[in-house]
Amino acid sequence: MRSLFERHSHPSMMIPGAATYALPLIALLVLGTLAMAIAPAIEANDMPNHVDVVVEGLSEKARTGQRMFNQTCASCHGLNAEGSEAGPPLIHSIYNAGHHSNKAFYRAVTQGSRQHHWSFGDMPPQPTVGFTQMTFILAFIREAQVINDI
């Protein structure tokens, strides 16, 4: 019985022993491609200290705050406050208004904050973020929390 890979009309097109290597090679290519496609999805879902944040439906004030946040705070807290390897997500139930008031956010920005919920170390004061910016940033954080059921 002839192998699938040896069914050619012209004898010069036949490669001796091709069937021995072709199936394992094809299987390896398929598995490799599949692994490359799945790996980013696994990594994204397993990224520690990260939450997926929905930001559709923000008010104009909150969208302004979102832009300010992403320019000044995202280096630690991730884009849209989703968290990163350097800082916790702020669109998280720990930071709900009943547990961390707006005053606590202002204090953290002006005076810094001791590590207490996460293991990132202390948050240093952020002297480049002013009161007006914080007003917009807090509008973003609070609206995003509501949109994300926090």
Side-chain angles (χ1 to χ4, degrees):
M1 184 169 171
R2 295 177 77 182
S3 165
L4 221 157
F5 296 99
E6 295 179 20
R7 290 185 187 163
H8 301 283
S9 57
H10 193 275
S12 66
M13 303 232 359
M14 292 174 41
I15 302 170
T20 307
Y21 299 104
L23 284 177
L25 182 60
I26 290 171
L28 219 110
L29 288 172
V30 169
L31 288 175
T33 304
L34 187 60
M36 287 174 25
I38 292 173
I42 291 171
E43 185 177 328
N45 292 336
D46 291 342
M47 204 165 94
N49 309 315
H50 178 270
V51 295
D52 293 324
V53 175
V54 175
V55 292
E56 287 84 21
L58 293 172
S59 70
E60 183 58 38
K61 183 176 182 178
R63 283 195 304 274
T64 300
Q66 177 188 24
R67 285 190 297 277
M68 291 176 175
F69 181 93
N70 287 337
Q71 291 170 353
T72 59
C73 311
S75 60
C76 289
H77 292 285
L79 283 176
N80 298 321
E82 293 180 341
S84 75
E85 292 182 14
L90 300 178
I91 311 305
H92 191 282
S93 60
I94 287 176
Y95 297 103
N96 74 67
H99 186 66
H100 284 85
S101 67
N102 289 356
K103 187 175 181 178
F105 276 93
Y106 282 109
R107 191 176 327 111
V109 168
T110 58
Q111 300 172 18
S113 177
R114 305 283 294 159
Q115 172 183 304
H116 55 286
H117 290 297
W118 308 86
S119 56
F120 292 103
D122 297 343
M123 177 181 157
Q126 303 298 307
T128 61
V129 180
F131 181 84
T132 303
Q133 277 183 296
M134 274 304 297
T135 302
F136 286 97
I137 289 170
L138 273 169
F140 160 64
I141 290 171
R142 295 305 187 201
E143 282 189 34
Q145 288 175 337
V146 170
I147 290 168
N148 290 275
D149 297 324
I150 296 170

